[in-house]
Amino acid sequence: MKYWNDEIRQASLALLVSGLAFSMNAQAISGEESAGALTASVSLPLVSAEPLRGMLVNQTMTVAGQEFFRNFAAGWRDLPVSQRYSVSIHERPSVRQGTRIWVAFNRETMFQAFLPPGRDQILALSEQAVAMVSASIIDTDLNRAMYRDADLAADEI
């Protein structure tokens, strides 16, 4: 899936993956002018308040749901950001509508679909889900980092 702002997305991903925030502090050096008057302090920001990061929670029940989870987990673990975020995969089987599956991050649904009957179609759907969920999570983190409002809680953006 191509976005019109791939360069911005890749740069944002690189900033999130690095996990380093540099803050420049100007300090006066007594009696001397030096090129080292600006110092950089490195701090690791807390992206998530979760103590257990990088977990995949399986809440599927059917064989098709288990197949989706296995394919999603294989694709998810190949991503560099997979160790920072915990996601859960839920399933609700229904005879009338088919099996609904959704991927949640921080109590928000990032991906939702009905599972197709063929296993080869489940593989394609899980690959699409990995791409959509990772892009949605990165966008969510960027929005939380860029837009801070004292009137809103962290999950009200």
Side-chain angles (χ1 to χ4, degrees), residues 53-74:
R53 291 191 244 172
M55 293 184 63
L56 281 173
V57 180
N58 185 4
Q59 296 288 321
T60 59
M61 298 167 257
T62 64
V63 175
Q66 294 289 327
E67 181 73 20
F68 178 86
F69 176 79
R70 278 192 297 273
N71 293 331
F72 183 90

Side-chain angles (χ1 to χ4, degrees), residues 25 38 68 102 124 132 143:
N25 299 323
L38 294 176
F68 178 86
W102 68 94
M132 290 178 69
N143 286 338

Side-chain angles (χ1 to χ4, degrees), residues 116-123:
R119 286 198 172 189
D120 56 338
Q121 296 170 345
I122 291 176
L123 175 63

